[in-house]
Amino acid sequence: MRRISVWISVCVFCACPAFAQSPQPYPFVTNVPGLEEAMLKPSYWTQRLETSGLRMTQAQVAAFNRQAFSVDANMHDLDTFPDQLARDPLLALIDRVSKPASAARYHASSGQRVSEADYARLRAATNRAAVGSSTHVRWALVVKRAAMRSYPTAARILKMPDDQHLDRFQETALFPGERLAILHRSADGQWLFAVNYHYAAWVRSDAVALGSRQQVESWFHAQPRLVMTGDRVLTNYSPEEPRVSERALEMGVSLPLVNPVSAGFEINGQNPYTSYIVKMPVRTRGGALAFAPALIARSRDVSVGYLPYTEDVLLRQSFKFLGERYGWGHDYNARDCTGFIGEVYKSFGLLMPRNTGQQASGKYAPTLRFNAPDVPAVRAALPGLRAGDLIYVPGHVVMYLGEVAGEPYVIHDKTVLEYLTEAGERYTGTLSGVAVTPLTPLLAENGKGFLENIYAIKHIALQEAR
């Protein structure tokens, strides 16, 4: 009887109206003009699409990438990268990124201006004097997310002493499984000058594992592969193999799958049947490349093979980053405007240059170009845009979502929110993250309207597809 009475009392307590009713949500508030809460859902935009057929097959995606490597000097086809690199081309790559800024820079730690003596020490750290007449290219795979830096240093360098969020020595980031050509080592031996598919800069040596070219290429091209389609996917926790435990994998990262038939029923202390088994690159104590099986739960946001490149999937992928904090050069364990764009398109297997100017000027995809300011031409072009098209202003890129009541809307990763109010006054606030905004009210960095600053619009497709 005691058990029955307790059960009844609990049931009665739970049925009390005060506990059964859901709390009323707070009202949606925003300082972004023309924005409604519904616009923060990808379904709001996908249901407005007129068509969402396949833009490119996987064969066409591969052709797009070959085209990008062939026509864009900022892209590096590592399949055809030379085994030896002469002194002058190597120094040119180093000097392209490891060079003093044209304007003042400041140490984040002290607020002091970076001096000529500081730059001299940084130049010495690059170990240029050790570059011989010919360098044998070494090969590596990235084993953990890591920064690519202007110089071989982790010191944060700022444009202004109070501009703490933009480390000007931060170039971009590397993710597990990225293939690298290793060209040089810093004077202290702790940094490597490396080339990936669209960048060349310095990376900490403990973030990569060195192997033979054949070993790296065999793993890199192995099929089938598991593609990370969430904003960030973690491998399963593994006390048995810490090197693959809870490893963060960004959108677009792909890893070769292991055949479960040959894997058995225990991987890193766990039965693998509820997970995918992937072959992860790991680093031995001596820094050599090895591989270890890792598990990624089937419940995670992943895909066997790249996603189908359609407008509706493209929009849903972009909204997976909504609200993420802005990170210059992939700082703050996040990404910036082009990093956001690049990761979204990588989930379809599409590769592009790293920076805004490089993307906008590149001839790898159909592009509308404008002699800014040319507002009439821009306005005439906007109605013809398709979801996912990329709009460029100096230093920034946005992704087109669609039109509402004649106003084009975009999703982008931006630091500052600036626009003209209905009274014609300038409003300045903070975004510092991936956000949805209308396009025409926005102001660019020079204080002029976005439409006045647009100089390129790109449609990511094969050149002959449009």
Side-chain angles (χ1 to χ4, degrees), residues 227-234 248-253 296 299-303 307 316-321 324 335 343-344 346-347:
V227 179
M228 309 307 124
T229 51
D231 60 330
R232 183 175 290 115
V233 174
L234 296 181
L249 306 171
E250 310 295 320
M251 183 182 288
V253 168
I296 298 177
S299 58
R300 300 295 180 255
D301 193 345
V302 295
S303 169
L307 293 174
R316 286 197 291 270
Q317 287 301 103
S318 69
F319 272 79
K320 291 178 182 179
F321 289 113
E324 180 185 76
R335 63 215 82 239
E343 262 87 281
V344 169
K346 275 175 69 177
S347 62

Side-chain angles (χ1 to χ4, degrees), residues 126-201:
T126 65
N127 204 22
R128 294 174 86 263
V131 177
S133 59
S134 180
T135 294
H136 176 70
V137 177
R138 294 180 296 166
W139 294 89
L141 291 174
V142 179
V143 298
K144 63 181 179 180
R145 178 174 174 143
M148 291 194 93
R149 307 281 293 169
S150 307
Y151 285 95
T153 177
R156 293 180 65 84
I157 302 298
L158 312 176
K159 186 176 182 179
M160 297 296 292
D162 60 351
D163 190 14
Q164 291 291 322
H165 298 302
L166 271 67
D167 176 2
R168 298 295 171 163
F169 277 8
Q170 178 74 15
E171 295 289 339
T172 188
L174 296 170
F175 305 133
E178 284 201 61
R179 178 175 48 158
L180 301 177
I182 305 298
L183 307 184
H184 188 51
R185 187 180 290 272
S186 64
D188 64 5
Q190 301 302 305
W191 295 80
L192 300 172
F193 191 80
V195 175
N196 78 341
Y197 74 94
H198 67 179
Y199 222 76

Side-chain angles (χ1 to χ4, degrees), residues 58 62 65 79 216-227 253-260 277-279 303-306 349:
Q58 277 303 304
N65 291 335
D79 282 339
V216 169
E217 290 185 349
S218 177
W219 179 92
F220 186 82
H221 291 296
Q223 295 292 336
R225 302 182 78 85
L226 190 70
V227 179
V253 168
S254 77
L255 304 168
L257 284 160
V258 175
N259 188 339
I277 312 169
V278 294
K279 186 178 180 182
S303 169
V304 177
Y306 289 108

Side-chain angles (χ1 to χ4, degrees), residues 230-390:
D231 60 330
R232 183 175 290 115
V233 174
L234 296 181
T235 58
N236 292 9
Y237 179 79
S238 172
E240 288 81 4
E241 180 51 274
R243 294 177 299 178
V244 302
S245 179
E246 293 190 319
R247 187 66 76 199
L249 306 171
E250 310 295 320
M251 183 182 288
V253 168
S254 77
L255 304 168
L257 284 160
V258 175
N259 188 339
V261 174
S262 60
F265 296 106
E266 183 179 337
I267 300 291
N268 300 335
Q270 182 180 351
N271 193 314
Y273 82 97
T274 56
S275 301
Y276 293 102
I277 312 169
V278 294
K279 186 178 180 182
M280 286 280 291
V282 295
R283 177 183 164 91
T284 68
R285 288 189 177 183
L289 177 62
F291 300 99
L295 298 181
I296 298 177
R298 289 178 178 267
S299 58
R300 300 295 180 255
D301 193 345
V302 295
S303 169
V304 177
Y306 289 108
L307 293 174
Y309 182 34
T310 64
E311 288 183 23
D312 58 333
V313 178
L314 176 60
L315 292 183
R316 286 197 291 270
Q317 287 301 103
S318 69
F319 272 79
K320 291 178 182 179
F321 289 113
L322 188 70
E324 180 185 76
R325 176 67 184 254
Y326 178 91
W328 168 268
H330 282 91
D331 205 359
Y332 289 177
N333 204 29
R335 63 215 82 239
D336 54 22
C337 63
T338 43
F340 160 63
I341 296 298
E343 262 87 281
V344 169
Y345 274 100
K346 275 175 69 177
S347 62
F348 305 99
L350 292 156
L351 304 177
M352 293 184 286
R354 174 61 179 87
N355 295 330
T356 52
Q358 296 169 352
Q359 285 187 8
S361 62
K363 299 179 180 179
Y364 56 90
T367 307
L368 298 174
R369 304 191 185 278
F370 307 91
N371 295 318
D374 193 350
V375 175
V378 169
R379 286 193 181 277
L382 290 176
L385 297 191
R386 294 172 60 181
D389 285 353
L390 306 177

Side-chain angles (χ1 to χ4, degrees), residues 321-460:
F321 289 113
L322 188 70
E324 180 185 76
R325 176 67 184 254
Y326 178 91
W328 168 268
H330 282 91
D331 205 359
Y332 289 177
N333 204 29
R335 63 215 82 239
D336 54 22
C337 63
T338 43
F340 160 63
I341 296 298
E343 262 87 281
V344 169
Y345 274 100
K346 275 175 69 177
S347 62
F348 305 99
L350 292 156
L351 304 177
M352 293 184 286
R354 174 61 179 87
N355 295 330
T356 52
Q358 296 169 352
Q359 285 187 8
S361 62
K363 299 179 180 179
Y364 56 90
T367 307
L368 298 174
R369 304 191 185 278
F370 307 91
N371 295 318
D374 193 350
V375 175
V378 169
R379 286 193 181 277
L382 290 176
L385 297 191
R386 294 172 60 181
D389 285 353
L390 306 177
I391 304 171
Y392 294 87
V393 298
H396 191 55
V397 57
V398 305
M399 180 185 290
Y400 180 75
L401 293 175
E403 185 180 280
V404 179
E407 174 63 44
Y409 281 77
V410 296
I411 184 170
H412 52 137
D413 202 350
K414 197 174 189 298
T415 54
V416 179
L417 171 66
E418 289 188 298
Y419 60 87
L420 291 179
T421 67
E422 292 182 359
E425 298 176 347
R426 181 169 179 161
Y427 175 88
T428 301
T430 299
L431 279 178
S432 289
V434 179
V436 175
T437 67
L439 181 68
T440 59
L442 296 184
L443 299 178
E445 291 184 6
N446 60 7
K448 297 180 180 179
F450 251 55
L451 297 190
E452 295 178 68
N453 281 272
I454 292 173
Y455 69 97
I457 297 176
K458 236 177 185 66
H459 180 66
I460 303 305

